[in-house]
Amino acid sequence: MTEKKYLKWYNKVGYGSGDIAGNVVYAFLTSFVMIYLTDTVGLNAGIVGTLIMVSKLLDGVTDVFFGNMIDKTKSKMGKARPWMFYGFFGCALTLFGVFAIPTNMGQVAQYAWFFICYTSLNAVFYTANNIAYASLTSLVTKNSKERVEMGSFRFMFSFGTNLLIQSITFSAVEMFGGGAAGWRAVALIYCIVGILTNTLSVFSVKELSEEELSDDAEESQDDKDITLVETFKLLVSNKYFLMICGIYILQQLRAAMLGVGTFFMTYVLCRQELFGVFSWAINIPLIAMLALTPALVAKAKGLYNVNKWSYIFATVCRLGLIFAGYQGNVLLMLVFTVLASFGEAPWQGDVGAVIAECSEYTYLKTGKRIDGSMFSCTSFGTKFGGGIGVALQGWLLAISGYVNAAPAQSAESISMMCVMYLVLPFVFNAIITVILSFLNVEEANKKLKANR
């Protein structure tokens, strides 16, 4: 039976452009906040890492809260789009604040400024925006193929933005005068770009009515009575939701370690410009493979095998990257980086469809729909994993004896950078591969439907 189609090509492209906005926040933070805070502002990497860790503890509960609020929202724009639209204005303001710490303040005040802006960005504004954005996958279409296509377009824009930010940021900062002024100017430009693309994405799609999303109107009315505590219980009782949260956290930890490339290229390979080259090697294969992901899923007749086997391939390639990196063979490093990115791409493209299946699993078992809350795993995993990753950057650099803006670093610091950039991404990939081998939610849903 052919599934009903809900979206035109321009709806999918417009939706996908929203991750330009998401990545002017998170790619910028993950790749550059630590080197900005240490080498420009002069803050201690270990203290910054600790502040980020405390921030994660404070914003850990907001994901389920905003997911629950989205589920209960009723407006002319729908459930999710109002949160996505208005939330990004706060994202832009606080992101600019993170990269606009006054240099004439005392150091304690600078730490406080950073902590307030960073926590507000993560705990409130990014959470509201990102959960709403992710949940649109299940709110604007019921077609499983369209959900995969939405995810593919989304992450093509995501990795394209990531590539651009990692390639041009250092030179853009210098072009605007370098130092604190240069970072402020670049942050302002990224914030404006984010506001424009987020707005475009919001108005490129339209949410389906509650009656069309649900089997009947009575079901959608009952779901309004789900409390925050009940929502939390429904989430943690879904093992597939917990698996996806774990994968998101591990992915962000890996991304943070790859962000150490700013240090690795500067101090280990002594060629800072290679950071942009490796960004191309990471992101171009991801973008290319994302375009093929819908066809791969269709050919494999499901998500599970595509995700599992592609990550096995990526993990083996990450092992090769360790060998090439310790040999100092830049060309071989680039080859294994490209191959690993090919393997990591399909999951990025179809994760929205997997989460929608995960939400369906909860409905089939409990009769309750919590689509907005289910997509809180994207925000929680991104924030928590990204935050812990950046904190880990700071802690490990501090432990190794990293000296801010020094022309050269100690052997211990160089060794730590190698472990962070080469070894830890392999470890995180290996754990993701194990989790994916158990994440066959499609098969679980088929069994539940057969037993109804």
Side-chain angles (χ1 to χ4, degrees), residues 376-409:
S376 66
C377 62
T378 62
S379 173
F380 173 77
T382 300
K383 290 190 316 174
F384 189 79
I388 297 301
V390 176
L392 196 61
Q393 284 182 8
W395 290 333
L396 294 179
L397 287 171
I399 290 170
S400 70
Y402 174 77
V403 179
N404 294 358
Q409 299 294 335

Side-chain angles (χ1 to χ4, degrees), residues 318-380:
R318 287 269 168 214
L319 187 61
L321 183 58
I322 295 175
F323 170 79
Y326 277 101
Q327 293 295 315
N329 189 327
V330 174
L331 180 59
L332 195 57
M333 286 180 67
L334 286 168
V335 170
F336 279 118
T337 297
V338 168
L339 293 175
S341 293
F342 276 125
E344 291 159 1
W347 166 260
Q348 300 285 0
D350 65 35
V351 63
V354 176
I355 299 172
E357 289 282 347
C358 190
S359 184
E360 185 71 8
Y361 179 80
T362 290
Y363 168 65
L364 291 172
K365 291 199 74 173
T366 68
K368 301 290 185 179
R369 286 205 177 275
I370 50 169
D371 295 313
S373 300
M374 192 62 65
F375 278 87
S376 66
C377 62
T378 62
S379 173
F380 173 77

Side-chain angles (χ1 to χ4, degrees), residues 166-187:
Q166 292 181 347
S167 299
I168 70 172
T169 296
F170 277 134
S171 56
V173 169
E174 292 302 316
M175 184 177 70
F176 286 104
W183 284 104
R184 281 197 304 271
V186 170

Side-chain angles (χ1 to χ4, degrees), residues 4-5 77 88 96-97 117 138 194 253 308 397:
K4 177 182 176 180
K5 294 184 178 180
M77 291 178 66
F88 197 84
F96 180 75
C117 289
S138 64
L253 288 172
K308 181 180 72 172
L397 287 171

Side-chain angles (χ1 to χ4, degrees), residues 305-315 340 342-347:
N305 284 324
V306 172
N307 292 329
K308 181 180 72 172
W309 289 106
S310 64
Y311 246 90
I312 290 174
F313 175 75
T315 302
F342 276 125
E344 291 159 1
W347 166 260

